[in-house]
Amino acid sequence: GRSVPSLVAGASIGAVYWYAGERIRKNESYGHELALVASTLLLGAMGPKAIRTRAPVPLVMSVLGTGSAAYYSKKAYEDRYGF
């Protein structure tokens, strides 16, 4: 049913977050950008479901995706322009 695609999507987004975290930890380039991509994917996957169902898990995941996208946007901007 729906659980396999959801599991694959969740694991994939988690893997991108992990890889981004490793790049950030090692002070390598594009770590914050990758985390921003993962956050955007999370929001894109959960946002419509949160709006449609108003279920607690999609709502919380959407809020976390929005917050982390804002944070990583700021960090990526700071990395690029030095602010």
Side-chain angles (χ1 to χ4, degrees):
R2 299 173 74 107
S3 62
V4 172
S6 179
L7 182 63
V8 170
S12 299
I13 292 170
V16 175
Y17 271 126
W18 174 82
Y19 183 62
E22 286 297 301
R23 293 192 68 83
I24 292 167
R25 185 179 64 80
K26 295 176 183 175
N27 205 27
E28 295 176 349
S29 57
Y30 299 109
H32 292 114
E33 289 85 351
L34 282 170
L36 175 58
V37 168
S39 299
T40 304
L41 289 172
L42 178 62
L43 182 57
M46 287 289 148
K49 189 171 184 174
I51 292 167
R52 188 174 64 253
T53 67
R54 304 225 194 285
V57 171
L59 284 170
V60 168
M61 298 301 280
S62 296
V63 169
L64 291 174
T66 301
S68 62
Y71 174 78
Y72 288 120
S73 293
K74 179 180 182 296
K75 295 300 286 181
Y77 183 87
E78 289 170 355
D79 286 351
R80 179 153 306 196
Y81 298 107
F83 295 172

